Amino acid sequence: MARQLEEQIVGRFPVGRRLRVLDVGMGRGAQALRLARAGHQVTGVEQDAASITAARETFAGEPEGIRERMRIIEGHAGDTGVHFLPGSFDVVLCHGVLMDDVEEPDALLAGVARMLAPGGMLSLLVRNGDAAAMRAGLSGDWACALAAFCPPTASYGLKRLTATLAGIGAPLHTWYGVRVFTDTVADDAVLPDDLDAVLAVEDRAGRTDPYRGVASLLHLCGVRG
């Protein structure tokens, strides 16, 4: 996903431009730190205290110039309008925020999109509602796989996301699949010796049909008109 995000930023904004980035649901700050290291001004919004603590500990080990480009605000993803004026950011990340049950997810996305300046880019990562049965099926959990063919009405597939992004003023520009082949790997699995090859395969599959359509996650980039 980091490769995909970098590809879109490089392709959309002039080289060397320092972007104003908002990371909604920042988590432990992995993407925020990458972007700050690249020279951008990054503001993270996160409500989980443990994640904020972990992020601050990580940021503390960075050079002063990078630390100065990073800011953390404790708050809910749906409260961006409380903290910022509309159009305040060139890039807004909303990664993993809609993985769990969220009240009025379309309204949350609309509020996030309002933070974009004209021509700004929204990077959205969600669970792929079109392939909800894949992980359980590949793991041999047939009951869960069967149940997943009837996803909750709040789930997002590509068609619904395309309509949602158009409706909130940030129409879909491009999309990728994330975790096409590796989704069933255990979180504590030992990294393979050929990790570069694994990443190369996932990168290729995530931008190639029909593979990207059955990825565990969808990474969509919309652009504010």
Side-chain angles (χ1 to χ4, degrees), residues 7-9 11-12 120-122 162 165 170-176 212 220-224:
E7 176 180 84
Q8 291 303 310
I9 288 176
R12 171 147 297 276
M121 185 182 77
L122 171 64
T162 300
L165 290 173
L172 180 66
H173 172 67
T174 193
W175 67 280
Y176 306 88
R212 63 178 180 167
L220 303 97
C221 297
V223 175
R224 169 70 80 185

Side-chain angles (χ1 to χ4, degrees), residues 3-4 7 175-177 202-209 212:
R3 294 183 183 185
Q4 296 162 359
E7 176 180 84
W175 67 280
Y176 306 88
E202 282 285 352
D203 181 55
R204 182 69 175 270
R207 63 184 70 238
T208 304
D209 291 323
R212 63 178 180 167

Side-chain angles (χ1 to χ4, degrees), residues 117-172:
M121 185 182 77
L122 171 64
S123 174
L124 176 65
L125 184 74
V126 300
R127 189 173 285 117
N128 184 4
D130 292 333
M134 286 295 294
R135 180 168 189 163
L138 291 173
S139 301
D141 188 343
W142 308 117
C144 284
L146 191 60
F149 280 103
C150 299
T153 55
S155 69
Y156 280 105
L158 181 61
K159 184 177 180 179
R160 179 183 173 186
L161 282 164
T162 300
T164 298
L165 290 173
I168 63 177
L172 180 66

Side-chain angles (χ1 to χ4, degrees), residues 14-57:
V15 175
R17 176 178 168 183
R18 291 196 171 187
L19 303 174
R20 301 163 298 166
V21 179
L22 175 63
D23 190 352
V24 179
M26 176 190 67
R28 294 172 175 260
Q31 297 298 333
L33 181 55
R34 284 191 181 97
L35 292 169
R37 285 173 173 170
H40 305 303
Q41 193 75 35
V42 184
T43 300
V45 175
E46 177 57 53
Q47 64 176 339
D48 180 67
S51 294
I52 291 174
T53 297
R56 283 177 172 155
E57 289 175 353

Side-chain angles (χ1 to χ4, degrees), residues 75-95:
H76 188 271
D79 294 337
T80 52
V82 175
H83 302 291
F84 316 108
L85 293 174
S88 297
F89 297 93
D90 304 302
V91 177
V92 175
L93 313 183
C94 187
H95 295 168

